[in-house]
Structures are given as structure tokens and as C-alpha cells.
Amino acid sequence: MADNSSAGVAPGPAPWWSGAVGYEVYIRSFADSTGDGVGDLRGMEAHLDHIAWLGARIVWITPFMPSPGFDHGYDVSDYCDIDPAHGTLDDFRRLVDRAHELDLRVLVDLVPNHTSSAHPWFVDAISSIDSAHRDWYHWADPAPDGGPPNNWVSHFGGPAWTLDPTSGQYYCHLFLPEQPDLNWSNPAVVEAFDDILRFWCEAGADGFRIDVAHSLRKHPDLLDNPVVRTVDPDAGPTAVFESFSHDHDLDQDDNIEIFRRWRQVTEPYGAMLVGEVNVPTPERSARYTAPGALDTVFYLRPAWADWEPATLVAMLRTMHDADPNGVSWTMNSHDTSRSVSRFGGGDLGRRRSLAATAFEFALGGVPFLYQGEELGLVDATLDPGDRADPIWTRNAGGEAGRDGSRSAMPWTPGPANGFSSGTPWLAAAERPADETVAYQRGSTEAPLHAYRALIAARDAHGDLHAAPLEWIVLERDDAAAGRRGSCAFVANLGTEPLTVDLGCVHEVVFASAPEAVAADASVVTVAPESTAYFRRLS
Ligand code: NOJ
């Protein structure tokens, strides 16, 4: 476990990412330099100064490799090139150079669970049962009734198996049929990814965000998953997916072996490995940051959660305690409704989002912000006919999908909010002026300055994330407080003020709301739905 806070463990030299905050760029919607309505690397390069100014030191870019785009880049047809819609390899190198000048490191989003069905490996695999790449994917004969070989379902709806009529066999896809799952028990697949990792390290990448890292290995006997609840026949794909216990298609014990190998491959480059790991318990998650495996893993549950303070507090505490320095905390991503919308909308949602995010930022690891989170954005308003996420377009169940968080980054007031001189690929209502970067830079009351102050406080007071965390016992479950070396934090997500005796006099070094803290000697009172950081004075 990546734990540099446990007493008795001699810490090694701090890795370069220690103490850093990350920032996710959803490349399609960040900045378009060509006017075709799709974000690209040149556009992103021109806006890197925004990310650096905010104080983030790591930037994760969602996939930009050649892709037919059925899942907006997460269906890769060539792992070692750039999709022309996003630029060229030279653009990538330029972007990395500029990022490094700004003290930003770049993570490439690698998608190893599945390729595009247009990838030459799959084109070959499906061409014949004897093809060279047949065993690079999962093939199985039909069940006795002619249906899929087991009960696995796709995240995006329907069975996780599609019949290839030519061979009479099914192939496995935990996402779309256009995203066939690779067979990670085949050493040739493993070796191919060694080369892909080296390719991007040589091109200047500082590390990788690993897509669905918990999915790679499958049970060799392709056993049925246990059903844990029944759902309505017309339930959306997420509800159906969650009605199974994914014992045999996800989180197989030997997944870790793959990442130990990746560690060895990337060690000479000092690359950071961040896994997207969505598993049932914090303990299972922590396995992925065992020594020699991944550096951090994303903890996704907060990014799906509604505003239930006690649930959120318990979620964050238990995840921290299972893996004190191995978590990449998130409250938002391109896969979920924005937290401001989930937490009540408008100023209320903004207040709650910042309070909860500031709580996460006091829990070690490497937290990430998602583009636009720093502006306090709500989900975009889209006409149903304009929605593009396959969760919506491929299903009749009414699950809205992920488009609400994927609209264009609002840089300036006016047409396309300065994202593009053309028409954005995802049509959404224009954002008002006060939700743009340009406006918020000039308004010190704006969320942008609060998020910047949060990162600055974390940077200035390293104990806030690096010193061992000692929880302060509270009588409430909708709040949490802790001491970390010379610092302390109080996260009050409840609706009543919270008074905590910190034991000695402190100064406030960050408050998520202007009136968040009243202090009387060592006793501090933190306002409802607020988080504050403190530094010991006596
Ligand atoms: C997780 C990614 O974040 C999501 O956007 C994508 O659809 C799936 N993995 C499949 O690659």
C-alpha cells in the first residue's frame, strides 16, 4: 500500500508526484484550435497556463489516439498515434514541452481492457478462427440454447457478448460491441502493451491514467456472475450492471501482476501509474497500490454520490484508512454528473462541492479536479436529441448518460464560450458570463479563486497531506476532523455548526466559505457545509 504516513515505516525518497494536485482534461471539450468543434492538443497547449495558474501539477488527458469514436476516444484503433481530430505526435511533444516549462507533468490515458473493433488486431482476430490475433481477445462457443456463453453484461447495456456469425463464436466486450475486450492471459497482449508504454514514455509522457484497470483479467472458466438483486426489465444499463456481483469479470486477483510488470517497464522513465479502479471495497482498491504496483488509484464513489453527508464522510474516511497515501480523490469526472448539480445546484451545490472537495484534499494521495470544476459548473443543458453518450443513444431505458459533464469548457462569454470558432461537437446551451474563466479570473469571490486558494493552502502546508492523520473523535457522523502534524482540518458537511477543540491555538489557512470559521483560542467553530484548514501556532 502506498502509505507514507504509517509510524515505523521508513519512508523512501518522495516521488515526484508527492503532494501534487492533478487536473483532468477531457480533450474533446477543452479547447479547439482548428474550428472543427473538437478539442485538440494545440488548443490545450494554448490553455495550459490556466491549469498551471490554478496550481495543479499533473494533467491527465483523456484518450487522443486514433479512434472511430463510438465511446469518444475510449475505443482505440492505434495505440501509438494521435487521432487527426486531436492533432499529431509533434503536437503531443510540443504540448509536453510547454507543460514541463510550466512545471506540469502529463499523464496519457491508456485503454488496455479493450481495443476498438477497428483495431488491426481485432480485424485480424475476427477474420478467422485460426488468425494470428484470435487469442488476443475472448472467444467462446454459444451456450446450449445458442445464447451468450455466460450472464455477463455490458456497462453500456445488453449482454457482454456479441455473436460473430462467421465463426459461430461470441466475443466478449464489457463496454460496446465496438470495444472488444483483450485477453490479458495471452502473453502476446502483455508484451504488446510493454511496447506501448515505452512508446509514450519516449514521446515524453510522465505517466499513465489506466482505464478500467480492475477489468483486465477475466476468470479463465468464464463463470456466471452471481445476481445480487433483481431490476425492472426496463432499467438502465448501470442499474442492470450493478445487479450482479462481478466476481468473475472484474477485479481478479492476478490483475496486480500486470501492473507490477508495468512498474518495471516504466520505472526507468520515472512514470506515474494511476489506475481507474472501481471495486467493491476500499481494501480491494488498496491492493492495487501494493509496493511495486500502481502509485495511486482513483476512488470513484464520491464522484457518483448524492449529497448525503454521513455517507460521504464514511466513504472518505474508510477509503483513506485503507490506503492513506494511495488514493487519487475525485468529486467529478467526465463519467458523472457534476457535483454542483448532484449536491443541490447553484450556490448551494457549489458550497457543498467545495466543502467536500476540501475534505478530500486533506486526505493524502493525489486528488484530481475535472475541467470546469474550478468554475463551480453545473451540468450542461442539452436537448435529448443532441445527447451523444452511448449510454443514452444505445438504450431505451432513459438513463441520461454522461453528456452533462462533457460540454465545452467555458473560457469566455459569447459564442461557444471561446472553446471553438466553430460549432462544438456536443451542442449545449451557452454558459453565462459568470461561469467563464475570463470572468472568474477578475472576480475574487468566484469559485476559481477558492479552488486556487485550496491548492495553494495544501502546497504551503505540506503536513496537511503528508503528515500522519490522527482522526479527532466527534459525536456526529456528518462531519470529520483530524490532526496532521502541525496542521488540522475540520470538514463539517452537516447542517449545524460544529465546534471542535483542536487542543492548542491555530490560525486558519483555508476556509471553504467566507464565514466558515469562528475561533476562540484552541476551540474552533466551523459553519455548516464548510471545511477549514488550520496551522498550529502554540
Ligand atoms: C472509463 C472511462 O472513464 C469511460 O469514459 C469509458 O467509457 C470506459 N472506461 C470504457 O473505456
Side-chain angles (χ1 to χ4, degrees):
M1 178 183 318
D3 176 0
N4 68 5
S5 70
S6 301
V9 177
W16 61 259
W17 46 264
S18 179
V21 168
Y23 186 95
E24 179 193 350
V25 165
Y26 188 67
I27 186 73
R28 295 182 67 81
S29 298
F30 192 64
D32 168 25
S33 70
T34 62
D36 68 355
V38 178
D40 49 52
L41 297 171
R42 287 280 181 121
M44 179 178 167
E45 182 192 333
H47 286 288
L48 280 176
D49 53 351
H50 167 74
I51 303 171
W53 177 86
L54 183 63
R57 285 195 280 128
I58 300 172
V59 56
W60 148 33
I61 318 172
T62 56
F64 43 62
M65 293 98 177
S67 164
F70 289 105
D71 190 20
H72 299 118
Y74 284 93
D75 46 325
V76 174
S77 54
D78 180 352
Y79 286 96
C80 297
D81 206 347
I82 308 279
D83 193 294
H86 301 309
T88 64
L89 279 167
D90 275 346
D91 293 342
F92 177 75
R93 293 189 192 97
R94 275 179 52 139
L95 176 98
V96 169
D97 287 347
R98 178 67 186 135
H100 290 175
E101 283 170 14
L102 293 167
D103 201 18
L104 282 165
R105 309 282 189 111
V106 176
L107 303 188
V108 167
D109 200 332
L110 195 55
V111 187
N113 179 67
H114 43 268
T115 66
S116 159
S117 54
H119 194 292
W121 299 339
F122 189 74
V123 172
D124 181 51
I126 202 168
S127 68
S128 146
I129 211 155
D130 302 317
S131 66
H133 293 90
R134 186 73 174 184
D135 290 342
W136 287 45
Y137 297 85
H138 298 277
W139 298 92
D141 291 332
D145 67 357
N150 65 20
N151 71 351
W152 297 358
V153 291
S154 154
H155 290 76
F156 292 162
W161 296 94
T162 288
L163 182 66
D164 161 34
T166 311
S167 66
Q169 287 194 312
Y170 282 86
Y171 66 88
C172 175
H173 52 88
L174 291 183
F175 296 89
L176 296 174
E178 294 86 351
Q179 294 170 293
D181 279 34
L182 283 163
N183 174 9
W184 275 89
S185 298
N186 182 340
V189 171
V190 176
E191 281 163 26
F193 272 83
D194 291 351
D195 291 340
I196 292 164
L197 290 164
R198 285 193 201 99
F199 175 87
W200 287 108
C201 289
E202 294 286 345
D206 298 298
F208 299 90
R209 179 268 189 188
I210 305 157
D211 192 58
V212 286
H214 55 291
S215 286
L216 307 195
R217 288 257 165 89
K218 313 291 190 281
H219 193 286
D221 298 330
L222 304 177
L223 301 177
D224 274 358
N225 283 322
V227 177
V228 289
R229 71 182 72 92
T230 50
V231 284
D232 289 344
D234 57 352
T238 304
V240 172
F241 195 82
E242 288 174 357
S243 71
F244 292 89
S245 176
H246 290 273
D247 298 6
H248 304 306
D249 56 344
L250 303 181
D251 193 29
Q252 302 301 290
D253 285 345
D254 54 2
N255 270 340
I256 310 294
E257 286 171 17
I258 297 165
F259 302 121
R260 288 196 200 287
R261 182 177 176 118
W262 285 25
R263 163 67 54 216
Q264 285 175 5
V265 171
T266 60
E267 194 78 62
Y269 302 96
M272 183 186 192
L273 299 179
V274 182
E276 185 201 22
V277 169
N278 191 7
V279 293
T281 66
E283 290 70 28
R284 291 296 298 180
S285 177
R287 294 175 61 254
Y288 287 78
T289 59
L294 302 180
D295 290 306
T296 63
V297 290
F298 276 107
Y299 182 49
L300 303 176
R301 283 187 62 198
W304 291 103
D306 292 328
W307 186 253
E308 289 164 12
T311 310
L312 267 172
V313 167
M315 202 182 266
L316 298 186
R317 280 189 65 147
T318 50
M319 187 64 239
H320 167 272
D321 291 351
D323 200 358
N325 202 33
V327 179
S328 273
W329 302 97
T330 52
M331 203 55 76
N332 286 277
S333 83
H334 67 285
D335 286 333
T336 63
S337 165
R338 288 186 178 272
S339 62
V340 176
S341 296
R342 280 183 285 121
F343 293 170
D347 287 343
L348 180 67
R350 276 187 269 280
R351 179 183 179 110
R352 291 170 168 176
S353 290
L354 183 56
T357 301
F359 180 16
E360 284 191 331
F361 275 47
L363 297 179
V366 179
F368 276 72
L369 295 175
Y370 172 54
Q371 67 185 48
E373 184 172 357
E374 72 277 25
L375 303 173
L377 296 185
V378 291
D379 286 334
T381 306
L382 294 114
D383 286 336
D386 290 329
R387 290 188 175 277
D389 183 2
I391 289 181
W392 169 263
T393 59
R394 298 274 182 110
N395 292 284
E399 187 174 331
R402 305 165 291 179
D403 296 309
S405 61
R406 295 179 170 185
S407 62
M409 178 78 175
W411 296 104
T412 54
N417 284 125
F419 159 73
S420 173
S421 59
T423 306
W425 69 277
L426 185 63
E430 203 172 283
R431 302 273 184 180
D434 62 358
E435 290 182 12
T436 64
V437 174
Y439 176 93
Q440 292 202 10
R441 276 291 285 260
S443 166
T444 53
E445 309 292 300
L448 180 58
H449 290 272
Y451 280 86
R452 186 170 187 243
L454 171 64
I455 297 175
R458 196 177 188 268
D459 279 350
H461 306 284
D463 276 5
L464 271 170
H465 57 80
L469 193 166
E470 178 199 340
W471 294 107
I472 296 171
V473 177
L474 303 176
E475 287 175 2
R476 285 172 36 184
D477 62 3
D478 57 4
R483 293 189 192 85
R484 304 198 75 142
S486 61
C487 296
F489 68 90
V490 177
N492 178 14
L493 306 189
T495 51
E496 298 297 323
L498 176 70
T499 299
V500 180
D501 187 348
L502 296 177
C504 51
V505 179
H506 285 69
E507 68 171 340
V508 179
V509 296
F510 173 78
S512 68
E515 81 311 340
V517 189
D520 179 11
S522 66
V523 177
V524 299
T525 299
V526 173
E529 302 179 336
S530 309
T531 293
Y533 296 166
F534 304 89
R535 185 178 74 93
R536 195 168 62 218
L537 292 177
S538 60

